[in-house]
Amino acid sequence: MNRKTKKTESHDKTGRLKELWVLFYTFLKIGIVCFGGGYAMIGLIEREVVEKKKWLSSEEMLDIIAIAESTPGPISINTSTYIGTKRCGFSGALCSTFGVVLPSFLIIFAISFFLEEFLNQVWIAYAFKGIRVAVLVLILNAVVNMFKKSEKSVFAICVALFTICMCFLTSLSVIYFLLISAAAGIIYNFIIRAVKHTRAAKNLQTSTDNAETENKTEEEEK
Amino acid sequence: MIYLKLFYTFLKIGLFTIGGGYAMIPLINSEVIANGWMTQEMLIDFIAISESTPGAFAINVATFVGVSTGGFFGAVCTTLGLVTPSLIIIFLIAKYFNKLTEKPLVKSAFFGLRPAVIGLITYAFLSLALQIVFTNVGNLSEIKNTDWLAIILFAIMFFISKIKIPNKKSDKKTKLHPIFLIILAGILGMLVYGVIEPALL
């Protein structure tokens, strides 16, 4: 009896190790193949995890993207941590995140030793003068896409303009502006809710007043 | 103690990068460049390198800054710092608070954060653009060399980036991958700054 339970336990252990290895290996592959990071990675993760491995349904994947986008941290790390946790708990999260980080870490580590010399070559420097302009285009397109997807309220535009002005005028870390705007969002929604609440209360009161007067008139008629 | 500082700096960056990818640029501007670990020009070059090597931009930048300031262990510190906040926050959400992002307080905080991030990236774009067009100028009163070729190049690249190619698999048209844009820009850069500019002067 005792031996039997031990056996199944050890079997579970090897099964778990195998699953951790599969998690690590899957995200290692994603980390190697994915160029450009972020949203490019989401498509790849979807193909591997939803279509091939069937670990998640496509609705779950959408939920994960929403969570990854609306929490701090790079999207690729958030998604891999989430899937790792869902599969094998904290050790799963560690394995998948390690897998997704390892390829870029090693590649950039290798590149960094000769990058500066590489950039100092005359023709490479010319090429990078052009490439810098292309990067500007990429950033502009990213901002425009973000703006198109976002809600365009007066409040949102004010916050965006406020942060731009503050950046130009002060040399504080952007972290303060992020904290201020989060607080502004909370206060704004609080006020909106309070206003709605008092309005609803007023409406209720007037309607009850009306009802009361109606009742009175009805009583009087009687 | 440089290791501790590297870890702490990238911990902050990991904690305050919201929206991923390019949302990190303003933070790197105010945390890494302010420390003198990287120049703004290097940052732009690095965005290009990240777009044309595998892996996420965030990890690439963290590794690079780590290696160039503290060697291998520096890179380990920065990458660990970057990953730690996501690992803890997402682990907790996945395990215990599935509905955390639907809570009213969290929702209204993000209601303010999202436009702020758009504003920050817009500012990053504007300051990088000013630096590229008015080469190596710290403040606006020192404007001397306006790089007109860069402005023309920007217009050309912008139109190319809007070109859509028909996809074989579906009816949807897809945009060019950023790598092609970067390679093309490299060739155009050699042509413009290596051949055309010397010919004009």
Side-chain angles (χ1 to χ4, degrees):
Chain A
M1 187 72 196
N2 207 2
R3 205 179 270 170
K4 218 178 181 180
T5 50
K6 248 188 185 172
K7 220 178 186 180
T8 50
E9 231 171 53
S10 69
H11 183 75
D12 274 1
K13 244 185 187 173
T14 49
R16 201 176 143 75
L17 275 180
K18 203 183 168 194
E19 199 159 4
L20 287 177
W21 167 250
V22 171
L23 264 175
F24 170 74
Y25 180 68
T26 307
F27 279 94
L28 186 79
K29 264 200 300 188
I30 292 170
I32 293 173
V33 181
C34 169
F35 279 76
Y39 294 96
M41 209 167 236
I42 286 173
L44 226 101
I45 292 176
E46 205 161 11
R47 205 180 309 152
E48 274 296 314
V49 174
V50 179
E51 284 174 26
K52 274 195 194 163
K53 295 271 189 320
K54 302 229 171 9
W55 285 344
L56 300 167
S57 67
S58 46
E59 283 98 65
E60 274 178 296
M61 187 69 205
L62 278 181
D63 283 351
I64 291 175
I65 295 168
I67 289 171
E69 272 185 66
S70 56
T71 46
I75 289 173
S76 53
I77 296 174
N78 288 351
T79 339
S80 54
T81 306
Y82 196 96
I83 294 168
T85 311
K86 282 282 169 196
R87 296 290 300 167
C88 295
F90 192 65
S91 41
L94 283 179
C95 284
S96 55
T97 309
F98 187 57
V100 93
V101 167
L102 196 62
S104 2
F105 183 86
L106 291 178
I107 290 167
I108 297 297
F109 185 71
I111 284 179
S112 67
F113 289 108
F114 53 87
L115 185 65
E116 237 156 297
E117 274 175 51
F118 175 72
L119 291 176
N120 281 338
Q121 307 276 314
V122 181
W123 283 92
I124 302 290
Y126 289 145
F128 266 86
K129 264 185 127 177
I131 288 171
R132 278 177 208 148
V133 177
V135 171
L136 273 187
V137 173
L138 291 179
I139 299 175
L140 181 67
N141 284 341
V143 179
V144 171
N145 281 339
M146 277 178 106
F147 181 72
K148 274 183 191 163
K149 273 193 218 157
S150 68
E151 339 163 35
K152 288 162 220 49
S153 60
V154 178
F155 172 77
I157 290 166
C158 285
V159 169
L161 287 178
F162 171 77
T163 45
I164 294 172
C165 292
M166 290 307 278
C167 283
F168 268 112
L169 296 174
T170 65
S171 53
L172 284 170
S173 170
V174 295
I175 289 171
Y176 296 111
F177 308 141
L178 287 171
L179 289 174
I180 290 169
S181 51
I186 291 170
I187 292 166
Y188 178 80
N189 271 4
F190 181 75
I191 291 170
I192 290 273
R193 218 175 298 145
V195 167
K196 265 186 192 165
H197 193 76
T198 48
R199 256 189 212 158
K202 253 186 194 170
N203 283 343
L204 203 71
Q205 212 175 11
T206 49
S207 64
T208 49
D209 282 352
N210 286 342
E212 268 175 20
T213 49
E214 269 173 25
N215 279 345
K216 268 183 190 169
T217 48
E218 270 175 23
E219 274 171 18
E220 275 168 16
E221 274 173 13
K222 272 179 189 174
Chain B
M1 278 306 93
I2 182 77
Y3 296 126
L4 212 68
K5 204 177 175 196
L6 281 172
F7 178 79
Y8 175 63
T9 306
F10 275 86
L11 190 83
K12 271 198 285 183
I13 293 176
L15 194 56
F16 284 94
T17 299
I18 290 150
Y22 291 114
M24 227 181 113
I25 297 168
L27 275 157
I28 291 181
N29 249 330
S30 76
E31 296 294 319
V32 174
I33 292 173
N35 266 320
W37 290 336
M38 205 181 197
T39 62
Q40 214 166 27
E41 237 171 39
M42 199 66 210
L43 171 66
I44 309 175
D45 291 350
F46 209 77
I47 296 168
I49 290 164
S50 291
E51 289 279 3
S52 33
T53 52
F57 168 65
I59 303 162
N60 290 351
V61 175
T63 309
F64 180 74
V65 173
V67 175
S68 52
T69 48
F72 179 75
F73 288 106
V76 172
C77 287
T78 50
T79 312
L80 271 182
L82 183 76
V83 169
T84 305
S86 305
L87 206 60
I88 293 170
I89 292 169
I90 297 292
F91 173 73
L92 289 177
I93 288 177
K95 199 94 190 174
Y96 304 108
F97 315 104
N98 250 321
K99 299 268 180 275
L100 183 76
T101 47
E102 288 165 28
K103 289 266 187 303
L105 192 72
V106 178
K107 258 190 162 178
S108 41
F110 274 94
F111 186 72
L113 279 172
R114 262 182 235 116
V117 170
I118 293 176
L120 288 177
I121 306 178
T122 310
Y123 168 74
F125 167 77
L126 290 174
S127 65
L128 292 178
L130 283 176
Q131 220 207 355
I132 287 175
V133 173
F134 309 115
T135 31
N136 298 321
V137 171
N139 54 45
L140 290 172
S141 60
E142 286 175 37
I143 293 171
K144 279 173 203 152
N145 334 317
T146 310
D147 191 348
W148 292 104
L149 289 170
I151 298 174
I152 297 166
L153 211 54
F154 182 82
I156 295 170
M157 297 310 301
F158 184 74
F159 279 110
I160 292 173
S161 77
K162 291 287 169 205
I163 292 174
K164 285 180 179 171
I165 37 171
N167 197 332
K168 280 172 199 163
K169 282 179 192 168
S170 61
D171 295 331
K172 270 191 197 166
K173 287 183 174 181
T174 47
K175 278 182 187 162
L176 280 171
H177 195 279
I179 293 179
F180 295 116
L181 202 67
I182 286 169
I183 294 170
L184 193 68
I187 296 166
L188 279 176
M190 286 189 204
L191 203 71
V192 167
Y193 294 103
V195 182
I196 296 175
E197 200 180 37
L200 285 175
L201 290 174

